[in-house]
Amino acid sequence: MPIGRQSPQSHWLHDNKFDQIRNIRYRFNMNTSALPARTFAAFLFDMDGTILNSIEAAERAWAAWARKHGLDVEAFLPTIHGVRGIETISRLQLPGVDPYAEVREVLLAEMEDMGGVRAIAGASKFLASLPEDRWAIVTSSPRELAIRRLDAAGLPHPKNFITGEDVENGKPAPDCFLLAAQRLGQPIEDCLVFEDAPAGIRAAEAAGASVVVVTAAHERPIGTGHPSILSYEVLVAHRLAEGGLRLAPAA
């Protein structure tokens, strides 16, 4: 989940007035020619920044929390994306702070704010084209927040849903993607992960999955060698007779 600011740590935009500039920039920098030509058993999707954009709402909640604790908001916000809240807060090692209580406080604030949450272009149609037993959402978000955001964005609830509560170690550990493949009954090596954040990309790589990077919310490239797409409008998924899936650029 990306944000937009001048910090060198930041790779994302959250202000709609930049959408046109960003879309022009990335429409010329997409790497769809490198889309994997092989057949996959299943697709695994991160949620925030990958199939929906919740950056504005997430940053409002986390910025308020950071100010309460006297943190440098501009420096702090880039650290929240793609990882679980408990890990974000725990690594700060704030004296006298119960990370679990603080995570719950931020979660309640996020649950109340769905302003600006919207689907990545083409995501709804693309997901609807997939067999329900061949895809999963794999998110660091808690389940109740993930469901609220999916509903706000008008996206379907998956049959297979891995959230932050389902694993002991969050991204960039590979646990979540390994669990998703296990629940789908497919080898992780035959799964394709759609991700946007560095932590998620590292998790997919560590799991042994192939990766496509979704750049819809990126302000600038994040320096991976994986194929990238601006939105799902540029993709189609072909279902093969034997049950596998193949990606192709949209006509």
Side-chain angles (χ1 to χ4, degrees), residues 6 21 72 80 84 90 143 161 171 178 205:
Q6 297 305 311
I21 296 171
D72 180 338
I80 72 172
R84 298 187 302 182
S90 294
R143 182 173 297 267
F161 204 174
K171 301 173 185 177
L178 294 172
E205 291 170 341

Side-chain angles (χ1 to χ4, degrees), residues 55-141:
I55 295 164
E56 298 168 38
E59 290 204 342
R60 283 191 291 267
W62 279 101
W65 181 87
R67 284 191 292 269
K68 173 184 171 182
H69 290 278
L71 301 178
D72 180 338
V73 174
E74 291 295 308
F76 171 70
L77 285 180
T79 72
I80 72 172
H81 298 290
V83 296
R84 298 187 302 182
I86 188 63
E87 283 143 355
T88 296
I89 294 176
S90 294
R91 67 182 170 224
L92 293 172
Q93 299 183 325
L94 298 175
V97 166
D98 178 353
Y100 290 94
E102 299 298 323
V103 165
R104 185 65 187 175
E105 177 184 321
V106 176
L107 172 60
L108 291 174
E110 290 186 289
M111 290 283 291
E112 293 299 317
D113 187 351
M114 293 293 125
V117 176
R118 58 194 182 276
I120 301 296
S124 181
K125 181 179 179 181
F126 187 77
L127 294 175
S129 75
L130 304 176
E132 65 176 9
D133 62 343
R134 293 287 180 148
W135 69 279
I137 288 177
V138 187
T139 177
S140 296
S141 292

